[in-house]
Amino acid sequence: MKDLVATSIKYQQGSLYVLDQHQLPHQEQWLPCDSTDTMISLIKKLQIRGAPLIGIGASLLLAHLAEQGLNPDELKIQAERLRAARPTAVNLMNCIDRMLATLDNQGTAGLSSCAEQLFDEDVELCQRMAALGAELIADGANILTHCNTGSLATAGVGTAIGVIGAAQQQGKQPHVWVDETRPLLQGGRLTTWEMARLNVSHTLICDNMAATLMAQGKVDVVLVGADRIAANGDFANKVGTYSLAVIARHHKVPFYVVAPYTTVDSNCPNGEAIPIEQRSATEVQGVSGSFGEINWAPENTPVYNPAFDVTPADLVTGWILDTGVYDPEKIGAGALKTL
Ligand code: MRU
């Protein structure tokens, strides 16, 4: 496989490496990944994360295993193990399906170029969303975003953050309110890191401050990513996205979701059918990262910790996909069923 380099994954001289996102922003540590067990562990612990990127990571690993001589039957078993690593992000399933179809049609020899194509395509899709989305951003806009949707979550410039970066490059000088994104702090740790690298003016807020900012007229638009978009336009994204959509509607703030076609699941009729990952109680009882580990809740405190929530289509102003910006009318007419 050719060398491939992104912000948080790279394939160089026959070896695959992942930037450990659990340790960001304080430590930038690249971890080698040469087995399914390692990749599954990295995905489950969110050391590699973001819907598009986990699909790319799993594909590069499968191609690498094929180059190491794993036979087709073994590769199929490893592919199914990788598919099960996280249940909500459909990009993972889509990438595995494309790798398996290539395996059936071309044998193991086709897997490297398929993984390279998936990587290069993701870079291209990000560019298209960024260009389309940036047209919607006004000069000096105050943008609110949730979780992390940038170069740490994709092979390219990202989805919602890609739009923000493109607006900045066009000289629009946006300001971004960064939701910290409890429980795993993807906003506080990762989006802040990306905003600084992009030189975008930003302010970190607790998740529960968004309503007050909207009431004060300090938010012009909300931009978020997605882990799976159902055929009717409902979509799953990091928990907390749904409440943002509700308060945005109340305050008449436009609310856009930004995602590539690889995040659309045309076979999933609506949000109720999206599987939602449930995660460990310890993530809510405390926090851990490069700064150490702390538990503040009494031991054995019962916890409910769904990683994602579902935002109904009727709260969405527009879907910024790589193929265009879709309004509720187009989505209602079935645009996502034929993507
Ligand atoms: O649990 P995570 O950090 O993988 O969740 C990520 C998100 O919710 C992102 O918004 C989504 O994957 C889109 S990223 C381009």
Side-chain angles (χ1 to χ4, degrees):
M1 200 157 34
K2 70 178 182 183
D3 282 1
L4 298 161
V5 180
T7 300
S8 61
I9 197 162
K10 60 185 178 188
Y11 193 78
Q12 271 177 334
Q13 296 173 0
S15 298
L16 180 60
Y17 302 90
V18 163
L19 180 64
D20 183 359
Q21 298 199 29
H22 192 66
Q23 301 299 324
L24 284 178
H26 301 119
Q27 287 171 36
E28 295 183 20
Q29 193 182 1
W30 286 89
L31 305 173
C33 176
D34 62 359
S35 73
T36 311
D37 283 350
T38 305
M39 181 55 82
I40 290 174
S41 167
L42 291 170
I43 292 175
K44 282 185 185 289
K45 291 182 185 159
L46 271 61
Q47 289 167 288
I48 176 172
R49 49 154 294 284
L53 194 67
I54 59 174
I56 303 293
S59 306
L60 292 178
L61 194 257
L62 282 174
H64 176 67
L65 294 177
E67 287 188 359
Q68 301 293 103
L70 225 62
N71 68 46
D73 287 344
E74 250 317 305
L75 283 166
K76 284 180 189 170
I77 292 169
Q78 301 312 318
E80 293 315 319
R81 293 184 60 219
L82 288 162
R83 185 198 296 277
R86 289 193 84 184
T88 304
V90 78
N91 307 63
L92 176 60
M93 294 54 175
N94 285 338
C95 281
I96 301 274
D97 285 344
R98 274 170 69 174
M99 291 292 283
L100 287 176
T102 303
L103 185 59
D104 282 342
N105 296 332
Q106 300 171 31
T108 52
L111 290 181
S112 294
S113 63
C114 182
E116 288 169 6
Q117 271 168 28
L118 288 166
F119 183 103
D120 291 340
E121 183 192 62
D122 193 52
V123 173
E124 175 70 21
L125 295 172
C126 287
Q127 291 294 353
R128 281 193 231 148
M129 288 179 279
L132 288 164
E135 286 175 27
L136 302 171
I137 305 300
D139 282 349
N142 275 291
I143 304 170
L144 192 144
T145 194
H146 192 63
C147 197
N148 171 267
T149 61
S151 64
L152 293 171
T154 64
V157 293
T159 58
I161 287 183
V163 171
I164 292 166
Q168 173 74 0
Q169 272 183 358
Q170 291 170 2
K172 291 182 171 170
Q173 298 193 305
H175 167 263
V176 178
W177 298 107
V178 180
D179 257 4
E180 69 173 351
T181 318
R182 272 289 288 156
L184 295 181
L185 304 171
Q186 289 93 332
R189 297 184 301 108
L190 308 177
T191 296
T192 45
W193 185 82
E194 293 215 44
M195 290 296 103
R197 281 166 52 114
L198 292 168
N199 217 8
V200 172
S201 159
H202 60 285
T203 307
L204 178 62
I205 56 167
C206 294
D207 300 334
N208 47 12
M209 291 171 185
T212 298
L213 286 174
M214 289 187 201
Q216 292 170 348
K218 291 180 177 161
V219 181
D220 299 310
V221 60
V222 178
L223 296 179
V224 295
D227 280 71
R228 189 185 297 233
I229 305 180
N232 73 340
D234 296 350
F235 73 95
N237 191 48
K238 181 53 55 192
V239 68
T241 302
Y242 173 38
S243 48
L244 276 181
V246 171
I247 57 175
R249 173 58 54 90
H250 180 77
H251 294 97
K252 300 186 174 49
V253 172
F255 178 96
Y256 289 94
V257 56
V258 190
Y261 83 93
T262 47
T263 304
V264 175
D265 183 357
S266 325
N267 296 320
C268 180
N270 54 48
E272 277 178 34
I274 300 178
I276 300 295
E277 175 186 3
Q278 301 293 323
R279 293 188 59 87
S280 140
T282 54
E283 292 178 352
V284 180
Q285 289 163 337
V287 71
S288 76
S290 54
F291 37 80
E293 189 172 344
I294 182 167
N295 273 15
W296 50 69
E299 216 180 321
N300 300 325
T301 297
V303 164
Y304 176 50
N305 185 18
F308 303 96
D309 59 23
V310 173
T311 299
D314 62 9
L315 293 177
V316 181
T317 308
W319 290 253
I320 302 170
L321 306 185
D322 53 286
T323 45
V325 181
Y326 296 73
D327 62 18
E329 206 175 314
K330 282 189 200 155
I331 298 294
L336 297 177
K337 292 182 185 148
T338 51
L339 265 189

